[in-house]
Amino acid sequence: MNYPQYVGGEHSLLNSLQQGGYILYARHGEANVGMDQPYLDLNNCYTQRNLSDTGRRQAILYGDAIRRLQIPIEYPVHASPLCRTSETASLAFGGMNVQLDPIGYEINQLGGHLNWWDQERILNNLQSVLEIPPSMGKNKVIIAHSFPKGVGLGNIPYMGTVVVKPLGKGNGYEIVARIPLEQLQYL
């Protein structure tokens, strides 16, 4: 079994996460019901690809694992405004603990046919979000989308998490681990 790689020195990844200071960027649960329509309406889930029953179970397992591992979370959790991401965040952390964030929708657009300046603008916006540390002793959670290969945080499996260490405004960020849902329990 492949366990998550961690570049943090003598502390385990779990111990570091329990101390806070990270961003957990997670892809939504499995979504294979429907499809995103050309004229997608963020207020109408029928115009979007939505979570499957497996995706709903994944979201619940994710939230349960975070709580069981005693990883402190900064609320609200940020979610892309698409139904599959907001539902994932609500199932994992409770609907009252979720804030919709337009950066997630922009990330979803990276998989389309964007000109280079729109792609660069989206990636710069993402970087500015990932540079800002969460509140002391907490970890920020973002539930959004995977990226095209070689772009942004790269390809992320359903409910997989990229653990990011913010280095401060203007200083970038460091990817410290990639954790598939199946391995989250082994931290």
Side-chain angles (χ1 to χ4, degrees), residues 13-174:
L13 177 57
L14 178 58
N15 288 341
S16 294
L17 290 173
Q18 288 171 335
Q19 299 300 310
Y22 294 88
I23 296 174
L24 307 177
Y25 181 100
R27 183 180 183 189
H28 57 79
E30 179 187 273
N32 62 4
V33 177
M35 59 187 287
D36 288 339
Q37 301 296 314
Y39 299 101
L40 182 140
D41 178 353
L42 293 176
N43 297 311
N44 183 350
C45 295
Y46 291 109
T47 67
Q48 304 174 36
R49 193 164 58 98
N50 292 290
L51 291 182
S52 65
D53 289 340
T54 298
R56 288 184 185 93
R57 285 191 298 274
Q58 289 171 330
I60 292 166
L61 286 171
Y62 186 80
D64 288 347
I66 296 292
R67 286 183 288 281
R68 183 181 51 75
L69 294 169
Q70 299 178 359
I71 297 171
I73 300 301
E74 175 182 271
Y75 292 104
V77 168
H78 294 260
S80 164
L82 276 86
C83 294
R84 58 187 172 265
T85 50
S86 61
E87 184 179 10
T88 296
S90 292
L91 289 169
F93 299 102
M96 66 292 211
N97 295 318
V98 177
Q99 177 179 322
L100 299 183
D101 190 335
I103 187 72
Y105 179 69
E106 290 183 344
I107 291 166
N108 187 56
Q109 293 178 316
L110 289 171
H113 300 288
L114 292 179
N115 54 50
W116 69 269
W117 59 85
D118 281 336
Q119 180 173 337
E120 205 55 34
R121 177 188 54 77
I122 292 168
L123 292 173
N124 287 337
N125 287 345
L126 173 66
Q127 178 162 334
S128 68
V129 168
L130 296 179
E131 289 176 339
I132 306 300
S135 302
M136 181 72 84
K138 304 282 184 176
N139 298 287
K140 180 176 183 173
V141 175
I142 300 171
I143 307 288
H145 308 276
S146 186
F147 294 79
K149 185 177 181 178
V151 175
L153 299 177
N155 192 0
I156 304 168
Y158 288 123
M159 230 43 268
T161 301
V162 178
V163 179
V164 174
K165 179 69 173 171
L167 302 177
K169 187 169 179 68
N171 295 317
Y173 60 88
E174 177 183 6

